[in-house]
Amino acid sequence: MIAYFANLATLVAIFGILAVTLNFMVGYAGIFSVAHAVFFGLGAYAGAQIALTVAPDPLLACGVAALIAGVLSLCLALPALRVRGEYFVAASLGLQMVALTLFSEVKSLTGGIGGLTNIPRPRVFGVEVGVLPLALIALGLLLWAIHAMANGSFGRTLKAIRDAESAAEALGKPVAVAKALAVAFACAGAGVAGALFALHMSFVNVESFTLDQSVLVMAMVIVGGTGTLFGPLVGAVLLLSLPSALSFLTFIPPTEVGSVQQIIYGLAMTLLMVFRPAGLLGDQNKGKSHQ
Amino acid sequence: MIGTKFSRRALLGSALAAPFIRGAAAQGEPYVLGSVFPQSGPNAEYGPVFTSGVQLALQHIEQDRLLQRPIRYISEDSQALPQQGVIAMTKLVNVDKAHWTFAAFTSVSKAIAPIGDRAKTVMINGGAVGPDLSGLSPYFWNVIPLAHLETRTLLPYLVGQGKKRFALVYVDDPLGDAILKELGEQLPKAGGELVGSFSIPRDAQQFGPVAARVRQVRPDAVYIASFGAQQAQIIKGLRNNGVSQQLCSYSAMNLESIRTLPEANGMTFTVQKVDYAGGDALTRRFAEDYKKAHNREPTVYNANYYNGCRLFGLLAQELEKTNTPVNGDTLRAALLRVRKFPLVGGTGEFDDAGNMMAAIEVVQWNNGSLTKLV
Amino acid sequence: MLFVQLLLGGVQNGALYALTAAGFALIFGATKVFHVAHGSAFTLAGYVFLYGWTHNWNSALSSLAAVAVAVAFGIGMERLVYRPIQRHEGSFFTVFVAAFGVSIVVQNLVGVFAGRGFASIDTPLSNASEVLPELFLADVFWVAIIVALVMFVALTLFLSRTNAGVGLRALAQNPDLLRAYGLSSSRLSMLAFALGSALVAPAAILTAMTTGLNEAVGNHVMLLSMASTIVGGVGSLRGAALAGLLLGVAESVVLVFLETQWASAASFLVLFGFILFKPSGMFGAAVAR
């Protein structure tokens, strides 16, 4: 059972990273992206290729992954600078769908649907280490960074943009730079999560980076509460442990297990939103946090 | 043309632990058998087909008192997706400490093989046919003839029927890639020609435009390399949009939803040869008991997974005789020592890589029933 | 000839996309709800028709049942999900996640009750014959175009000639003003959902005949409807419908130049390009950033 929980904890930590970084974009900068899985994927492929071709050094893998995801986040920053609201959601959706096709087709780098297999276990100075401590450290560092930024001048600039972009611009805030930086930071974080994911699973393929996955991460943020520091983490724990918990319901016939789990998962998402629309940790009275 | 895979939860697959059999006579710690089959998603039709073969073999092992220790069977859901398969296999190996596992689908098998290899857990494939599944790991064995054996039977037959120009519509995954390679190499040898190949995403649903492209290359026959629900959509899409040529494929077409599809009439494909009625006692017992339990004729898939599970019974029995512990290494040693096993369809003989050899026949769907061509 | 063939195939699909996109645009324009579960109405309508067909119902009755279920689903979503969330002033994304949850539930319920995997209606309508050398057309091509045209004429008449229709358009423009005149925006939102959902039914029925259904069939439809709404310009029904047609054609015609596996990316590249270079869409007003 310990191995089982360690596996689950590692996934929760990795998705925790995804959720808190997405929350940084959504909650603080008001950029609603449904393409977070794209940068998760870029990081995973980068990390996997580093581990396979250079060395299974997690620091190197995470660094390269963060760099690649951060640089390519320009694809997302560009529309973010042009449009907002539903338009941006649609743009990120377009990006997600196009990226998915690219992930499937650029087989020399991604392995397509067959994926990259046999990714070696991470080693630091020649010693094999588990992914769980690495992921927890990364998560802690990112939380600390987000906390520091949210309360610093960068955070104030972002919130000003979120709440009234034109006013912020009129006040001379560097709107374009701040937005691009927020997107780059969040996407680099997703890249780190991707590299850790690749090292943990020893296998990556395009199916881990679908629109589904993006929506799952988005759901974690919303369910936990946007703009709160720990809300997304709560969302990650909840949405990841739900299906695992459901799998212990042994009275469901084997052929219906998948569907029943999905139905309960979907229902939980909907009901939570209907009854706690600001998320579990969000301020219910404050209500909506943007526009 | 797209498909968007949506609410198939990408992360934690289902994990169902169901104690299946606990014999009264058998004593001691149970052997753990696990399967990684698609039980939900677009390929869910296969899951119960595979599982029923395993379950019947478990019943027979129990009835025959083949083993001293009981068997616990755990069914995990792969959704036919590699990632889900990896999660399920990790659970089977690390949490359940499975002795023996069943896999299906080329992409899933390739993804889980490193896990089983690392843990030295035997993996049995009776459904996937990608040629690169041979020799994937010393512990990965195939009880199904792989696609290169199927195409090498099918292509000469069709070329002999005057079908020279082939077009291939293939799903964009390891199986499809393998078939593409196979047709490219084998067709010229058989005297035919691959005149066009059309890759489609796994979740594509509209095949009108693909049909237009297929017609353009003027094929004599169209080979379809896909699986599950998509096969039916491809067949209907091609037939409805003016592709009237011979359709052909591999054993995945041996499925209820294809049998009942009017457009699939005349579809020619290959399966492995099993004589249920006139075969040996073991085969007849399998066929009779299967019919009793499920009220229909068994298919090759049922037989394959029955064989895969029976093989465990036979090997573990060997090991129990000499009080050898049952694990991946001892099972493999026993397999290579014995080589030939009485299985459904006759004696199954394994090569060094753990592939079972079998005879192939060419069949055709004709108004809902299979006609044997060769 | 390949080009013409692909173009006509694209038009056939595009006509269906146009219908669902117009439904999505109608709902979004009038109520500002990003109805992500729109595809679920499509799935439900398709399967209801299939149920009627396999049980030998009259096809008019089956179609009516399909429309009724789609409408009921739309109204139910508005009443039970969107309205309570908006009462809490839930954000745009709260609505998104809730609707997404519903689409997961619908997809899996359909899988459990109707069986997973492929289901289609066997009709000679979808069987293409060679009308010109190398050019295959099925009767369903004409049916799709006629149905789409009839629906649009009816919708346009309704929106311009009836009080409720004018009210709907007013709701899109200025809800406050509407309230000042004593019109019920709540009843008008329901009407928007009912009409918008009804529009998917014919598309769903025709899809059941051509490509066939599976439980996930609505997802693609929803994404395309949403993309069409943006490409067409938010607030413009005509724009959404034309964009739906355009995306359908793009998906198909792109195969003249590209390998088959790239078709799925084509429509989303169009969408991405529009947002980057002309975010107001084809017919929309300028977008406030």
Side-chain angles (χ1 to χ4, degrees):
Chain A
M1 268 327 248
I2 291 175
Y4 183 69
F5 280 114
N7 180 41
L8 190 60
T10 313
L11 288 173
V12 166
I14 289 171
F15 277 82
I17 296 175
L18 284 177
V20 298
T21 50
L22 180 65
N23 180 43
F24 186 73
M25 266 201 283
V26 172
Y28 296 99
I31 299 170
F32 285 83
S33 160
V34 279
H36 216 45
V38 172
F39 300 95
F40 183 50
L42 285 172
Y45 287 128
Q49 289 291 3
I50 291 287
L52 283 168
T53 55
V54 185
D57 180 345
L59 295 180
L60 183 67
C62 288
V64 173
L67 191 71
I68 289 179
V71 169
L72 288 178
S73 74
L74 206 63
C75 300
L76 196 63
L78 232 67
L81 295 176
R82 302 251 318 153
V83 293
R84 52 182 308 176
E86 293 82 7
Y87 290 85
F88 179 73
V89 173
S92 64
L93 233 158
L95 180 68
Q96 168 76 57
M97 301 310 294
V98 173
L100 208 61
T101 306
L102 283 174
F103 286 168
S104 313
E105 294 307 324
V106 189
K107 288 183 184 156
S108 52
L109 292 178
T110 67
I113 292 183
L116 302 171
T117 53
N118 263 333
I119 300 166
R121 290 286 156 96
R123 286 173 172 276
V124 179
F125 303 120
V127 184
E128 189 171 315
V129 288
V131 175
L132 181 57
L134 296 172
L136 287 176
I137 292 170
L139 178 62
L141 284 175
L142 280 166
L143 275 174
W144 172 79
I146 289 172
H147 180 69
M149 278 194 283
N151 294 316
S153 67
F154 185 49
R156 280 196 298 279
T157 306
L158 286 181
K159 282 184 212 164
I161 294 171
R162 178 191 73 192
D163 294 335
E165 184 164 334
S166 315
E169 203 160 13
L171 285 173
K173 301 266 189 196
V175 171
V177 176
K179 271 188 160 181
L181 276 180
V183 170
F185 170 77
C187 292
V192 171
L196 292 170
F197 182 73
L199 292 173
H200 173 61
M201 301 286 288
S202 303
F203 168 83
V204 285
N205 84 339
V206 58
E207 285 154 8
S208 307
F209 316 120
T210 55
L211 177 60
D212 265 358
Q213 196 79 298
S214 283
V215 171
L216 173 68
V217 178
M218 178 55 82
M220 288 171 181
V221 174
I222 310 260
V223 164
T226 50
T228 60
L229 190 59
F230 292 105
L233 267 187
V234 173
V237 173
L238 196 74
L239 288 188
L240 285 184
S241 44
L242 189 69
S244 318
L246 292 175
S247 70
F248 287 96
L249 301 177
T250 48
F251 54 84
I252 307 168
T255 48
E256 302 297 340
V257 177
S259 295
V260 173
Q261 280 185 2
Q262 294 285 323
I263 289 169
I264 295 178
Y265 164 73
L267 263 183
M269 256 161 77
T270 307
L271 292 179
L272 260 171
M273 288 303 97
V274 171
F275 293 105
R276 285 193 76 85
L280 289 171
L281 295 194
D283 181 353
Q284 301 298 327
N285 298 320
K286 194 167 131 248
K288 65 174 171 184
S289 54
H290 82 297
Q291 288 181 343
Chain B
M1 196 76 256
I2 292 199
T4 318
K5 224 170 340 84
F6 231 79
S7 47
R8 205 134 297 127
R9 268 294 314 295
L11 200 72
L12 293 171
S14 79
L16 178 93
F20 182 75
I21 263 191
R22 197 158 291 216
Q27 296 290 319
E29 195 63 9
Y31 295 114
V32 179
L33 270 56
S35 61
V36 186
F37 296 151
Q39 306 284 7
S40 66
N43 292 297
E45 190 177 352
Y46 290 102
V49 173
F50 298 159
T51 311
S52 61
V54 173
Q55 285 176 330
L56 185 63
L58 287 173
Q59 277 171 27
H60 285 174
I61 290 175
E62 168 75 5
Q63 280 168 15
D64 299 350
R65 304 257 186 278
L66 209 58
L67 299 175
Q68 289 157 18
R69 284 162 62 184
I71 292 180
R72 195 160 78 92
Y73 172 57
I74 299 168
S75 159
E76 295 281 340
D77 181 9
S78 73
Q79 297 183 13
L81 302 177
Q83 193 195 346
Q84 247 63 20
V86 166
I87 293 169
M89 185 67 183
T90 309
K91 179 178 173 285
L92 284 177
V93 165
N94 291 329
V95 182
D96 303 313
K97 309 277 179 220
H99 294 88
W100 186 270
T101 55
F102 301 98
F105 283 82
T106 305
S107 55
V108 176
S109 302
K110 286 181 81 173
I112 67 170
I115 303 170
D117 188 58
R118 216 175 275 158
K120 302 190 174 183
T121 302
V122 174
M123 296 157 279
I124 297 291
N125 162 43
V129 293
D132 41 1
L133 293 182
S134 168
L136 211 50
S137 150
Y139 308 98
F140 192 96
W141 306 343
N142 298 295
V143 293
I144 181 171
L146 301 176
H148 57 287
L149 298 176
E150 295 202 38
T151 51
R152 283 167 205 183
T153 308
L154 181 74
L155 299 182
Y157 168 76
L158 284 176
V159 171
Q161 299 288 309
K163 316 284 184 215
K164 305 277 189 221
R165 297 166 61 83
F166 280 72
L168 170 66
V169 177
Y170 66 107
V171 65
D172 192 8
D173 87 337
L175 170 83
D177 292 343
I179 301 252
L180 172 67
K181 189 162 156 260
E182 189 61 26
L183 290 196
E185 286 168 5
Q186 295 303 318
L187 268 172
K189 285 185 196 165
E193 187 188 357
L194 183 62
V195 291
S197 58
F198 305 93
S199 160
I200 46 170
R202 259 178 88 139
D203 40 13
Q205 300 188 352
Q206 280 173 21
F207 300 99
V210 177
R213 288 283 299 267
V214 168
R215 284 206 318 267
Q216 250 222 332
V217 298
R218 306 187 179 287
D220 300 325
V222 182
Y223 195 103
I224 298 171
S226 174
F227 33 72
Q230 200 184 37
Q231 294 180 138
Q233 267 172 314
I234 298 175
I235 295 171
K236 185 169 160 66
L238 293 179
R239 281 284 183 251
N240 274 353
N241 289 284
V243 175
S244 52
Q245 287 89 342
Q246 173 71 53
L247 298 181
C248 55
S249 186
Y250 69 105
S251 49
M253 287 294 172
N254 195 0
L255 207 59
E256 185 65 14
S257 60
I258 307 291
R259 187 180 75 78
T260 51
L261 185 75
E263 281 89 354
N265 208 14
M267 156 67 74
T268 300
F269 60 105
T270 37
V271 290
Q272 83 210 63
K273 210 183 258 174
V274 180
D275 185 359
Y276 298 111
D280 52 38
L282 186 75
T283 307
R284 283 200 306 274
R285 175 193 186 195
F286 160 77
E288 280 161 18
D289 286 0
Y290 192 91
K291 218 172 160 184
K292 233 180 277 166
H294 299 276
N295 200 20
R296 58 181 182 78
E297 296 288 334
T299 68
V300 171
Y301 286 135
N302 305 136
N304 287 344
Y305 282 101
Y306 178 94
N307 283 343
C309 187
R310 180 158 185 88
L311 184 64
F312 173 77
L314 297 172
L315 289 175
Q317 190 189 31
E318 277 287 310
L319 296 173
E320 278 185 353
K321 273 185 208 155
T322 54
N323 274 329
T324 316
V326 174
N327 58 43
D329 282 326
T330 55
L331 286 166
R332 178 174 159 75
L335 177 88
L336 295 181
R337 193 170 59 242
V338 180
R339 296 277 183 169
K340 289 183 181 177
F341 302 87
L343 295 173
V344 168
T347 302
E349 186 178 355
F350 287 81
D351 66 9
D352 288 344
N355 302 325
M356 194 175 92
M357 282 157 282
I360 306 273
E361 59 188 5
V362 180
V363 293
Q364 188 173 54
W365 281 127
N366 267 327
N367 300 318
S369 62
L370 271 189
T371 312
K372 192 179 151 185
L373 298 177
V374 173
Chain C
M1 235 8 161
L2 178 66
F3 178 78
V4 178
Q5 176 76 62
L6 289 174
L7 180 70
L8 294 182
V11 168
Q12 179 186 326
N13 270 326
L16 304 185
Y17 293 157
L19 281 175
T20 53
F24 187 90
L26 180 70
I27 293 171
F28 183 60
T31 67
K32 295 285 171 279
V33 168
F34 214 57
H35 183 36
V36 177
H38 194 53
S40 302
F42 183 92
T43 313
L44 286 172
Y47 272 93
V48 167
F49 185 81
L50 183 74
Y51 180 87
W53 184 273
T54 47
H55 288 75
N56 292 321
W57 295 3
N58 179 318
S59 56
L61 179 67
S62 305
S63 310
L64 266 180
V67 173
V69 167
V71 168
F73 175 79
I75 293 178
M77 283 299 289
E78 204 270 339
R79 288 273 121 167
L80 302 176
V81 179
Y82 298 137
R83 179 118 8 131
I85 293 176
Q86 286 179 324
R87 205 177 292 138
H88 287 280
E89 295 189 63
S91 74
F92 158 70
F93 248 90
T94 316
V95 169
F96 186 95
V97 172
F100 205 86
V102 171
S103 65
I104 293 175
V105 172
V106 169
Q107 176 176 333
N108 285 282
L109 280 178
V110 167
V112 169
F113 289 107
R116 291 173 203 92
F118 181 76
S120 76
I121 286 168
D122 188 34
T123 147
L125 271 184
S126 67
N127 219 339
S129 51
E130 199 162 8
V131 289
L132 286 171
E134 291 292 301
L135 187 66
F136 284 74
L137 274 189
D139 294 342
V140 76
F141 172 79
W142 303 109
V143 177
I145 288 174
I146 291 167
V147 165
L149 283 177
V150 167
M151 298 292 282
F152 281 118
V153 170
L155 188 67
T156 313
L157 285 178
F158 176 80
L159 288 179
S160 56
R161 298 285 167 82
T162 64
N163 280 340
V166 175
L168 265 186
R169 286 195 299 160
L171 185 64
Q173 310 271 323
N174 191 339
D176 295 328
L177 192 69
L178 200 68
R179 231 165 275 136
Y181 278 95
L183 283 165
S184 158
S185 68
S186 150
R187 296 221 346 238
L188 284 175
S189 318
M190 264 176 57
L191 180 65
F193 270 91
L195 274 179
S197 303
L199 282 175
V200 303
I205 292 167
L206 290 172
T207 302
M209 293 175 178
T210 53
T211 56
L213 301 171
N214 64 37
E215 69 271 23
V217 72
N219 300 327
H220 181 46
V221 170
M222 188 282 296
L223 284 175
L224 269 168
S225 308
M226 191 216 60
S228 309
T229 303
I230 302 280
V231 170
V234 171
S236 166
L237 277 190
R238 188 176 45 143
L242 272 178
L245 188 63
L246 176 82
L247 292 184
V249 170
E251 252 182 22
S252 180
V253 168
V254 74
L255 293 193
V256 177
F257 319 104
L258 289 180
E259 288 305 307
T260 36
Q261 67 267 38
W262 296 99
S264 63
S267 42
F268 293 99
L269 265 179
V270 173
L271 167 70
F272 199 69
F274 256 95
I275 287 172
L276 274 187
F277 301 110
K278 195 169 185 329
S280 57
M282 301 192 296
F283 293 93
V287 189
R289 291 207 311 178

